[in-house]
Amino acid sequence: MFVFFGLHVQSQHITYKFRIRFGDYSPLSNAQFILSGQRINTDPQGIIAINLANNISYLNIESANLKVYEIKYPLEGKAILPKDPTVFIDVFVAKPGPDQLKGLVDRMDRSQNNLQKNLYKKIEEETRNGYDGIVKMLTANNLDEQKLAKGRLEFFPLISATLANYLNEVRNFNDAFLTLSTSLNSKPAYDQFSNAIYRYNEIFDLLNNNKNTYEQAIATYWNSKELSLKFNNLVDYAIEDLHKPYVLEINYTLINRIYTANNETNRKKRAQLQDVLTKDMTEISSNMTRKINGLGERITAMNGLLNNNGTIKIN
């Protein structure tokens, strides 16, 4: 029975949807890509749907013809699968040779983005190693104050750095979005916004992928389920009050409206569409700013609690 049950669990599948686009957010239709060995064509909207086993966490994607298209994002073609399969997985492509997106990626790699990647890689590695340490310690039931104090010193910089970088990048995303709202015909504004999207996606993935580990670390090393729950609520705020209603809404709805307006051939109608977009984008950015300020206050409070070993009374 156990063998058959195991086979049954492994056979469960989930359908994920990949959205293949250029740097200007236009879809790439009827093009073939290789997703972990499977050759699949995009539909007219640049969408690829694929059924995957439910225990897979990421997928490798590459162009079937590198002479025609190259994958620019996600980096190295490693697409992290979202927990919610209804969320599109964005893939940005470009034609080989000097193009806008390639120039943007090159500039990012030569500058601060390279430092950012190294920082996130270090945080990811240290978090993974730290979690392994928690598992070993809890399995051996070997808890004492010295080990707890060491664990707090190990995890506090990881947690605070992840939160600080998320706050910084979501602010940069909002700033770039606001700049774009009044510069819908400006290439530098689009470059800035594209840069902000890439940087935001990286830190969001880092926070989202490690939130459970940080919760476990707080519950263990700070010996506080209440403080762990407070961290959980903070991350939920970032996801439910910022990421989903603003970042995803901008990425999935506003970008399509911008693309439609910019491709309107009637100048008068295009100007009208852009005027409405500017008003809507400005209002969205203002609302997003309030949510970001709220997140900043929560992060400051959380850092204070963690830095004081969780001895401050939690309201």
Side-chain angles (χ1 to χ4, degrees), residues 289-308:
T289 296
R290 288 192 287 271
K291 295 296 184 179
I292 292 173
N293 290 340
L295 178 64
E297 294 172 358
R298 285 166 170 78
I299 290 176
T300 298
M302 174 57 63
N303 284 336
L305 290 168
L306 295 177
N307 197 36
N308 285 278

Side-chain angles (χ1 to χ4, degrees), residues 155-198:
F155 268 95
F156 177 67
L158 300 176
I159 296 171
S160 60
T162 300
L163 293 175
N165 277 277
Y166 179 80
L167 182 62
N168 183 59
E169 294 306 333
V170 76
R171 280 174 173 161
N172 289 341
F173 176 91
N174 190 31
D175 289 344
F177 178 68
L178 182 60
T179 298
L180 182 62
S181 70
T182 57
S183 308
L184 291 171
N185 296 307
S186 169
K187 178 184 176 298
Y190 283 100
D191 285 352
Q192 180 185 1
F193 186 56
S194 295
N195 193 347
I197 289 175
Y198 294 137

Side-chain angles (χ1 to χ4, degrees), residues 133-134 137-138 141-157 216-224 306 309-310:
I134 293 175
M137 187 177 65
L138 292 178
N141 196 24
N142 186 16
L143 297 173
D144 58 51
E145 181 53 38
Q146 184 177 1
K147 287 185 173 62
L148 296 182
K150 181 180 178 182
R152 290 194 294 268
L153 289 174
E154 178 183 4
F155 268 95
F156 177 67
Q216 181 65 65
I218 293 171
T220 302
Y221 292 127
W222 279 261
N223 193 27
S224 173
L306 295 177
N309 297 334

Side-chain angles (χ1 to χ4, degrees), residues 195-264:
N195 193 347
I197 289 175
Y198 294 137
R199 293 171 66 88
Y200 173 85
N201 285 341
E202 287 186 339
I203 187 58
F204 176 79
D205 287 343
L206 182 68
L207 175 63
N208 193 44
N209 292 341
N210 292 296
K211 62 179 181 179
N212 292 335
T213 298
Y214 293 152
E215 289 176 33
Q216 181 65 65
I218 293 171
T220 302
Y221 292 127
W222 279 261
N223 193 27
S224 173
K225 292 183 179 179
E226 194 172 7
L227 190 57
S228 178
L229 178 60
K230 192 175 183 70
F231 176 82
N232 176 273
N233 292 337
L234 185 158
V235 177
D236 279 350
Y237 179 91
I239 295 175
E240 301 297 331
D241 288 55
L242 261 173
H243 180 73
K244 289 183 178 179
Y246 290 99
V247 178
L248 289 186
E249 184 66 18
I250 288 170
N251 205 20
Y252 295 150
T253 302
L254 268 296
I255 294 302
N256 289 332
R257 287 178 59 188
I258 293 172
Y259 175 71
T260 299
N262 288 347
N263 284 273
E264 173 58 52

Side-chain angles (χ1 to χ4, degrees), residues 12-191:
Q12 292 180 348
H13 288 73
I14 299 175
T15 299
Y16 293 94
K17 291 185 178 180
F18 290 77
R19 184 165 55 181
I20 317 297
R21 300 190 289 181
F22 289 104
D24 62 358
Y25 303 99
S26 59
L28 174 58
S29 61
N30 303 315
Q32 189 175 84
F33 288 83
I34 303 174
L35 287 75
S36 289
Q38 298 187 49
R39 291 178 176 267
I40 307 178
N41 288 347
T42 59
D43 68 12
Q45 285 74 45
I47 305 298
I48 288 178
I50 183 173
N51 291 323
L52 300 171
N54 63 349
N55 57 353
I56 294 177
S57 59
Y58 72 92
L59 192 72
N60 293 317
I61 179 170
E62 60 182 308
S63 171
N65 188 344
L66 296 177
K67 295 181 179 180
V68 180
Y69 301 110
E70 296 177 343
I71 303 293
K72 294 303 178 184
Y73 181 87
L75 298 176
E76 299 179 354
K78 180 181 179 180
I80 303 299
L81 301 178
K83 291 187 176 181
D84 182 358
T86 64
V87 174
F88 281 99
I89 303 163
D90 281 323
V91 176
F92 286 91
V93 301
K95 295 180 180 180
D99 64 288
Q100 294 181 10
L101 186 57
K102 186 176 189 302
L104 171 62
V105 173
D106 288 343
R107 290 196 299 273
M108 292 166 61
D109 286 341
R110 288 197 302 265
S111 59
Q112 187 177 0
N113 188 64
N114 201 35
L115 296 175
Q116 181 193 49
K117 291 178 185 177
N118 291 335
L119 172 63
Y120 292 173
K121 182 178 180 181
K122 181 179 180 181
I123 292 176
E124 183 69 50
E125 291 176 349
E126 292 186 2
T127 297
R128 184 171 60 252
N129 292 335
Y131 180 73
D132 291 341
I134 293 175
V135 173
K136 290 179 181 179
M137 187 177 65
L138 292 178
T139 301
N141 196 24
N142 186 16
L143 297 173
D144 58 51
E145 181 53 38
Q146 184 177 1
K147 287 185 173 62
L148 296 182
K150 181 180 178 182
R152 290 194 294 268
L153 289 174
E154 178 183 4
F155 268 95
F156 177 67
L158 300 176
I159 296 171
S160 60
T162 300
L163 293 175
N165 277 277
Y166 179 80
L167 182 62
N168 183 59
E169 294 306 333
V170 76
R171 280 174 173 161
N172 289 341
F173 176 91
N174 190 31
D175 289 344
F177 178 68
L178 182 60
T179 298
L180 182 62
S181 70
T182 57
S183 308
L184 291 171
N185 296 307
S186 169
K187 178 184 176 298
Y190 283 100
D191 285 352

